[in-house]
Amino acid sequence: MRVFFIGAHLPLAGHSVRAPTVVIREALAAFRELGHEVVFQPLLSHDAEEGFEAEGEQALEWAHANGVELLPALYAQPDAVGSTPRLLLRQAFSSDPGVFYPSYALRDEMTKRVDASGADVCFHLWSSAAFGACAEVETPVFAYAGNPDHYSMAARLKHPALFAIPQRTLRNRLKVMLWRRAYRRFEDVVVRLALRSTWIGCASAP
């Protein structure tokens, strides 16, 4: 089988790096040990890779030495709700995936790369950005996710006092209202994009 593997990080190793990088590395190694061909597509954010440049080069050398085909990285900022007041207002009244997922702008390029790879399946691991980037991919997509993106903050907004979310002023209360509305919109977008996958695995009960 030929696998188009999208990773939100490079496959670094060692105890001093982040858990997703180790999981990505082990998953790549497991696919290769099973005899599958693997095309690795990094889908990164610039911020996440800062300070790991040397390790990143070593990770790519490791992947190449283990028979993994490497594609040039694509970059997109992580999905974010309400990172600016203007964005929060827009998200509170929008169901456009591009308003929530910057990676949605990469969907045409990602589709071209998956098609050109000749892969039998597109697989992405712990990459919320991949939901947006894979929105138009016709190759069967297996998404392995963690908690849905909107869950934790949406839960806090149900009980703002428990999480020290300010509510004393009219401006604070208006902001909480917009946050709640934006997260309801975000949930709809997450579900719509996730359901475009052929299979979904999840790391936790939700």
Side-chain angles (χ1 to χ4, degrees), residues 26-156:
E26 292 302 311
L28 288 170
F31 276 127
R32 291 297 295 138
E33 287 172 6
L34 290 169
H36 301 307
E37 298 176 6
V38 181
V39 180
F40 183 61
Q41 173 62 71
L43 178 57
L44 312 175
S45 70
H46 289 286
D47 294 344
E49 302 309 309
E50 287 183 0
F52 293 93
E53 291 80 6
E55 292 87 346
E57 288 298 321
Q58 293 173 2
L60 294 177
E61 291 173 6
W62 169 87
H64 186 265
N66 282 273
V68 175
E69 298 177 36
L70 301 172
L71 294 179
L74 292 171
Y75 288 88
Q77 287 303 108
D79 48 274
V81 176
S83 55
T84 67
R86 184 176 181 179
L87 182 60
L88 176 60
L89 183 61
R90 189 178 178 194
Q91 289 170 330
F93 297 94
S94 177
S95 296
D96 179 0
V99 173
F100 294 91
Y101 283 97
S103 61
Y104 191 67
L106 298 173
R107 63 193 184 281
D108 290 339
E109 178 61 25
M110 187 66 80
T111 299
K112 290 177 184 176
R113 293 191 182 196
V114 174
D115 289 346
S117 74
D120 300 299
V121 64
C122 177
F123 174 84
H124 59 85
L125 173 64
W126 284 355
S127 174
S128 59
F131 281 118
C134 291
E136 306 297 336
V137 170
E138 294 185 3
T139 300
V141 175
F142 188 109
Y144 191 80
N147 282 311
D149 297 347
H150 58 280
Y151 265 37
S152 58
M153 189 61 188
R156 293 176 189 178

